[in-house]
Amino acid sequence: MTGAYPKVNLSGKPQYLIWDIGQVNFATLDLNLLRVLDALFSEGSTVKAARRLAMSQSAVSGALSRLRHALDDPLFVRQGNRLVATDYASGIESGLREEFERLEALLAPPATFDPRTAEGTFRIAASDFFAELLMPPLGDRLQKLAPKLRAQLVDLVPNDYVASLERRNADIALIPDLKLPDWVNREPLFHSPFHVIARKGHPKLGGLQQGTQMHMDTFCALHHVLFSPEGNLAAMGDAALRRVGRQRQVAMTVPVFSGVCRAVSESDLIALVPAQLAKKVAKTFGLHVFEPPMSIEPALIIGIWHKRSDSAPMPTWMRRQVFELMKGLDLDS
């Protein structure tokens, strides 16, 4: 079996790929003729079919003639004032109507989206930073506005965050700003500066008041735990140190922020973490928060999604909820 599908060209005349089934050659069949056939089934009259299709009777008769030739069957015989379908035509009538209904459903515009009754799953690829700062308020919002929608937080693809949209089947990914391929859309969400965290009672920080800037020598002398899903031994903080000719001591890497905070809370390690996270978890983990000794450009966090989902009702609504919550994290807002 080969297929034939109409192609649109600027002349307005249909062109066709080959599709042969049995004796029917769709390479020479104008598929608009099937609309005429469907109208003739419904109306039983070329006059009424013409009126229904806003065509002339002669045009409908001509279409019927071409259908008879293409399908090698009379299709209708006259019985008084009415056209009666042949046995062959009767055999394809219901199937033809079903195909038209399927096409109408396929091509119909999306139904109005109602979050109160909508069902579905929305996948968010992001670090566990967002388990703390996004998922609790998002869960509360969905319970109130869209109780049948489900949100899933999944891991980013290491070293290729954009690939999360395909390989994690994610509806959006929340990532630091970077160059994107042309099939991806982006939305700036918030800037994330960095703070230093250390456990309360740290023996080397007893005289340092919380919220003040940590001295460079102290920062470089203490051992650090680094957030790195990929296991890298350097990050933005190390690049900032190199610019002033200094270096820190990374003692371990952890792939999740919760693990970084836990390691700091139960040791004399310190860490650089996003300021919003430090503020959120300081009390829970028993941490003190300090300003870093060097200037670090705040990371711009963006939301990205595949352009194919631009107009899909549920993903569009969910993106708006997520992005509203995330923009509220900007420390300047």
Side-chain angles (χ1 to χ4, degrees):
M1 178 183 296
T2 57
Y5 297 91
K7 300 187 295 181
V8 176
N9 61 22
L10 296 178
S11 69
K13 297 179 180 179
Q15 295 179 318
Y16 298 92
L17 303 175
I18 301 299
W19 184 2
D20 291 318
I21 304 175
Q23 300 301 311
V24 179
N25 185 354
F26 279 84
T28 58
L29 179 65
D30 181 350
L31 297 184
N32 284 317
L33 295 178
L34 298 180
R35 293 178 59 247
V36 176
L37 182 57
D38 181 57
L40 288 169
F41 281 136
S42 298
E43 304 296 340
S45 162
T46 55
V47 174
K48 293 179 181 178
R51 188 179 303 124
R52 173 177 172 176
L53 297 171
M55 298 169 60
S56 67
Q57 183 182 3
S58 62
V60 171
S61 296
L64 177 56
S65 177
R66 294 196 296 277
L67 280 165
R68 283 168 168 165
H69 175 75
L71 300 179
D72 194 26
D73 187 88
L75 298 177
F76 297 93
V77 295
R78 186 164 294 282
Q79 182 176 322
N81 293 327
R82 183 170 179 82
L83 294 177
V84 178
T86 64
D87 289 346
Y88 168 78
S90 295
I92 66 173
E93 179 178 1
S94 62
L96 181 64
R97 175 89 309 262
E98 288 173 3
E99 292 305 318
F100 272 114
E101 289 174 352
R102 286 175 58 191
L103 283 172
E104 288 169 1
L106 178 67
L107 301 176
T112 301
F113 179 75
D114 184 355
R116 294 170 298 178
T117 58
E119 299 182 25
T121 298
F122 188 78
R123 290 171 65 85
I124 304 163
S127 72
D128 72 316
F129 171 97
F130 296 95
E132 292 286 345
L133 292 158
L134 168 63
M135 300 309 280
L138 180 61
D140 181 62
R141 182 173 291 204
L142 291 181
Q143 281 295 302
K144 293 174 180 175
L145 301 180
K148 295 184 179 181
L149 291 182
R150 180 188 300 114
Q152 290 185 307
L153 183 66
V154 299
D155 289 334
L156 292 162
V157 173
N159 296 311
D160 191 357
Y161 294 162
V162 176
S164 304
L165 297 177
E166 299 286 2
R167 289 166 55 187
R168 296 287 191 260
N169 196 29
D171 294 286
I172 60 171
L174 304 175
I175 63 173
D177 195 17
L178 48 74
K179 185 175 175 60
L180 299 170
D182 59 8
W183 54 269
V184 175
N185 275 341
R186 68 188 289 277
E187 176 87 9
L189 300 178
F190 64 94
H191 287 87
S192 182
F194 291 89
H195 284 168
V196 185
I197 55 172
R199 70 176 177 91
K200 291 180 179 179
H202 193 294
K204 300 292 181 65
L205 300 173
L208 186 62
Q209 185 177 354
Q210 183 172 200
T212 59
Q213 186 178 58
M214 184 176 289
H215 192 276
M216 178 68 80
D217 290 340
T218 302
F219 183 84
C220 293
L222 294 175
H223 286 203
H224 292 243
V225 54
L226 174 66
F227 166 76
S228 177
E230 300 85 6
N232 298 326
L233 292 173
M236 292 179 67
D238 299 278
L241 282 170
R242 284 195 297 271
R243 288 194 290 269
V244 295
R246 300 299 296 264
Q247 182 177 344
R248 65 174 168 169
Q249 302 184 64
V250 175
M252 69 170 63
T253 69
V254 178
V256 290
F257 278 112
S258 58
V260 171
C261 297
R262 178 64 65 188
V264 169
S265 71
E266 298 183 14
S267 72
D268 289 339
L269 294 168
I270 63 172
L272 272 174
V273 297
Q276 291 90 341
L277 180 66
K279 179 180 179 182
K280 174 77 173 179
V281 304
K283 183 176 181 180
T284 301
F285 284 96
L287 303 174
H288 280 165
V289 181
F290 307 96
E291 293 285 341
M294 67 290 190
S295 176
I296 308 175
E297 185 71 21
L300 173 62
I301 305 302
I302 64 173
I304 64 171
W305 67 97
H306 200 297
K307 286 184 177 179
R308 67 188 173 208
S309 301
D310 263 355
S311 302
M314 188 273 279
T316 298
W317 187 85
M318 284 292 293
R319 281 197 305 270
R320 186 164 62 249
Q321 308 314 307
V322 171
F323 293 169
E324 284 180 2
L325 290 170
M326 290 296 90
K327 289 180 180 181
L329 290 178
D330 204 309
L331 296 180
D332 293 331
S333 63

